[in-house]
Amino acid sequence: MSTDLLQRGKNIKLAVFDVDGVLTDGRLYFLEDGSEFKTFNTLDGQGIKMLMASGVTTAIISGRKTPVVERRAKNLGIPHLYQGREDKLVVLDELLAQLGLSYEQVAYLGDDLPDLPVIRRVGLGMAVANAASFVREQAHGITQARGGEGAAREFCELILRAQGNLEAANAAYL
């Protein structure tokens, strides 16, 4: 893990996640009745819970809107959920005004072009391993794991490690 990423992670107060391709593997599953389902990784969920327990606020900003994501956010206790919003930087501006935070205090994990304006602007902008190549090139760092396969957990642990909270987060379960 690079010193630059750890330095960027030190002052993070808000971690923001995209959904499709980040918290999921990016595939969309549609049933005959028109409903859809997504699969989420439990390691990612535990990482988000550990991050919140350390005092970092979390948010989801997704271009798509689905009840499954609302249910997952509620299940994890993620306090800020924005769905059906392609204008992610505008959403982030609203959230930062509400929370009284600056861009430098934000970490963002994304995978595709709608995530790029936020990745470029925040203090720690990261891409998942299987993100679009242009997004990977623009990000501060790239996870080793693919979206939906532990990338969010890796992202959370990077922030916890940068803030000196990873061992305490792990020890809480011993």
Side-chain angles (χ1 to χ4, degrees):
M1 181 170 316
S2 82
T3 306
D4 179 58
L5 291 180
L6 290 173
Q7 190 63 36
R8 288 177 175 280
K10 279 186 179 179
N11 298 315
I12 299 303
K13 303 289 184 209
L14 172 65
V16 183
F17 302 86
D18 177 37
V19 176
D20 295 320
V22 173
L23 295 178
T24 74
D25 64 9
R27 291 186 257 183
L28 301 175
Y29 300 92
F30 294 97
L31 302 176
E32 289 290 327
D33 65 3
S35 63
E36 67 180 89
F37 71 91
K38 300 174 185 292
T39 59
F40 297 93
N41 188 301
T42 58
L43 293 173
D44 290 342
Q46 183 61 39
I48 291 169
K49 287 181 179 181
M50 291 164 52
L51 196 59
M52 290 188 299
S54 78
V56 175
T57 300
T58 57
I60 288 174
I61 303 175
S62 179
R64 293 179 44 79
K65 183 175 175 69
T66 173
V68 174
V69 173
E70 185 174 342
R71 188 174 314 125
R72 181 64 170 157
K74 184 177 181 180
N75 177 264
L76 293 175
I78 296 173
H80 305 283
L81 173 62
Y82 301 89
Q83 293 194 82
R85 301 286 301 266
E86 290 285 335
D87 54 344
K88 295 181 180 193
L89 194 56
V90 172
V91 175
L92 181 60
D93 285 339
E94 295 167 7
L95 184 55
L96 291 179
Q98 177 186 338
L99 298 175
L101 297 175
S102 68
Y103 287 119
E104 293 76 27
Q105 295 172 299
V106 178
Y108 186 89
L109 185 61
D111 74 315
D112 211 347
L113 294 176
D115 302 310
L116 199 51
V118 177
I119 287 173
R120 286 177 165 163
R121 183 65 69 85
V122 298
L124 176 61
M126 292 191 62
V128 297
N130 58 322
S133 61
F134 190 68
V135 175
R136 290 193 317 266
E137 291 167 7
Q138 300 292 309
H140 297 124
I142 304 167
T143 63
Q144 292 182 0
R146 298 167 59 86
E149 298 177 7
R153 175 66 170 264
E154 188 179 326
F155 174 75
C156 292
E157 287 186 357
L158 183 152
I159 296 166
L160 288 165
R161 183 175 288 113
Q163 297 181 0
N165 293 328
L166 184 57
E167 289 73 26
N170 288 331
Y173 294 92
L174 298 179

